[in-house]
Each structure stands twice: as C-alpha cells, then as structure tokens.
Amino acid sequence: MEVIFLPKSWNVDQILDDLDQHGFAIIDNVYPTNYRQALVNECSSHLNEFREAGIQNGIVSNIRSDHILWINDNLNIAQHHIETLKQLSSTLNRAFYLGINDIEAHFACYNAGEFYALHRDNPQGKNGRMISAVYYLHEQWQENWGGQLHLQDKNNQWHNIQPKPNRIAMFQSDLLHEVIEAKHQRLSITAWLRSDQQLL
Ligand code: OGA
Ligand code: MN
C-alpha cells in the first residue's frame, strides 16, 4: 500500500494548538498545484452525478440547497485526500484521544444562490462525528462572492471564514455554523472524522 504523509506545508503544531484553544483551525496551501488540479478535474467531471443534499429524513431546501456526491473507492483522486485526513486523524487521536476510526466525505457544490442554514454536524453528540474538515476546491474566490463559513468557536466567538481555494477549515463537529449564500459556484469536499466506538 502507498504510504501517505501529511503535506510538508501543514503546520501540525499550529493545527493542534488552534483546535485546542478555539475548537477550529485553518490550513492554507493545502496541496501542491498538480494534485489540486487533478482533484478539481475529478470533481468537475462528476458534477452531473451530484444530487440534492438531504437533512436526515429527506430534502429540506429551506435549510440547505447545495448538491453533493458521496466519495467512494471509485473516486481515485479524492481517495488520496481521504488518506491524508486519516494520517491527520492519527495525530489528532494521539493529541486529544478522540478515537477517530473512520472518515466519511462528499463533494459539495453550491451554485449561485445556494446556502446551508445554521446547524451542527453532530447535534447531540450521537452520530460519531468528531471533527468536520472542509477543503475548498474552486479555482478562485473573491471576498464579495459570499459563501463564507460562519462559525461559532468553542469560546462562543463568531468567525467569517472565506472559502479560499486550497484551504481546509476544520472544526469540532458539535459547533454551530452556516454557509452564507454563495454568489458564484462554490466547490468543496466536506469530510467528517468519526469515532464509531460504542459508548454504551
Ligand atoms: C457541511 C458544512 C461548511 C462549508 O457540509 O455540513 O457545514 O464551508 N459545510 O462548506
Ligand atoms: Mn456543517
């Protein structure tokens, strides 16, 4: 099996410190250009397979209006991103004893006018999601295009995080957040680092 290392550009100590202090962390310049381009191409070539995103029991378009494609083994390029997040999970497990043992992920596409209203990814701490990690894939993003990730950190401070290309926004899945309406097509991979051990 191919051995995956965390990209050298990642400041792991900073990531751990930010997660510890604030419950979220931003990583910029995540991947080299050639891999990023391959991932954008894989995403773009499957856009016709994206489906309306659901909320638990169905589609509720006044809560979220984006379109998604779950990542499976057939999406080879995206698999490398998942493997990288597995490496990161080992580091997080050592630092915070999170017990992460699984990753689920989907591509997401917000077309102009689409958004995701205030929510938590793991509302009652019941679904195993520990950390959410969103990687922004579009080629460019301008500050006046909306689409910010509006997030309340663990100290109750609100942040407006720009979906800058080649950035990962990671946060505790129990934190409150929303995606502000995008004015241009906004592409991403949302991943959840999960701990599926039984607590009972
Ligand atoms: C989600 C989500 C944030 C973002 O997919 O649950 O909150 O910035 N995404 O795309
Ligand atoms: Mn979310």
Side-chain angles (χ1 to χ4, degrees):
M1 235 191 92
E2 191 191 355
V3 181
I4 307 273
F5 296 100
L6 288 179
K8 288 207 175 59
S9 60
W10 297 24
N11 184 341
V12 175
D13 289 337
Q14 185 73 54
I15 296 167
L16 294 178
D17 202 48
D18 288 344
L19 282 172
D20 190 36
Q21 301 285 316
H22 307 289
F24 79 101
I26 306 293
I27 315 172
D28 278 319
N29 305 312
V30 167
Y31 291 122
T33 309
N34 53 355
Y35 176 69
R36 188 163 89 89
Q37 198 56 57
L39 199 50
V40 172
N41 292 347
E42 187 172 68
C43 176
S44 306
S45 68
H46 288 85
L47 274 179
N48 60 338
E49 296 164 38
F50 283 42
R51 294 288 173 260
E52 276 182 69
I55 317 247
Q56 258 99 50
N57 308 312
I59 294 153
V60 189
S61 59
N62 59 343
I63 298 178
R64 69 185 295 190
S65 45
D66 58 319
H67 291 69
I68 64 164
L69 178 68
W70 287 98
I71 292 170
N72 60 26
D73 292 346
N74 301 332
L75 296 166
N76 290 317
I77 313 290
Q79 275 309 317
H80 179 90
H81 174 59
I82 310 286
E83 291 300 322
T84 304
L85 292 177
K86 280 189 189 159
Q87 278 301 311
L88 181 65
S89 301
S90 307
T91 306
L92 296 178
N93 283 346
R94 282 195 295 273
F96 304 125
Y97 307 103
L98 292 179
I100 296 161
N101 55 9
D102 190 24
I103 306 221
E104 59 175 340
H106 61 57
F107 285 111
C109 173
Y110 292 75
N111 288 309
E114 297 181 348
F115 63 91
Y116 193 161
L118 270 183
H119 68 282
R120 302 174 204 270
D121 293 345
N122 188 355
Q124 282 97 36
K126 283 195 293 209
N127 67 15
R129 292 172 171 175
M130 306 300 289
I131 300 281
S132 308
V134 188
Y135 176 67
Y136 301 109
L137 264 178
H138 34 256
E139 309 268 2
Q140 55 158 326
W141 198 262
Q142 292 179 16
E143 302 235 333
N144 61 357
W145 286 2
Q148 297 92 348
L149 169 60
H150 188 217
L151 173 83
Q152 186 178 41
D153 73 16
K154 67 189 254 189
N155 311 308
N156 299 328
Q157 302 283 323
W158 284 93
H159 302 267
N160 256 320
I161 300 164
Q162 289 289 338
K164 279 178 59 172
N166 209 21
R167 162 177 278 183
I168 286 177
M170 341 184 22
F171 49 96
Q172 293 174 202
S173 297
D174 58 349
L175 293 177
L176 197 55
H177 60 282
E178 66 187 318
V179 178
I180 306 298
E181 182 179 321
K183 298 199 170 118
H184 286 256
Q185 190 182 68
R186 178 191 193 270
L187 299 173
S188 59
I189 296 179
T190 302
W192 292 279
L193 319 190
R194 305 172 54 108
S195 166
D196 284 330
Q197 69 213 8
Q198 281 298 332
L199 295 174
L200 293 176

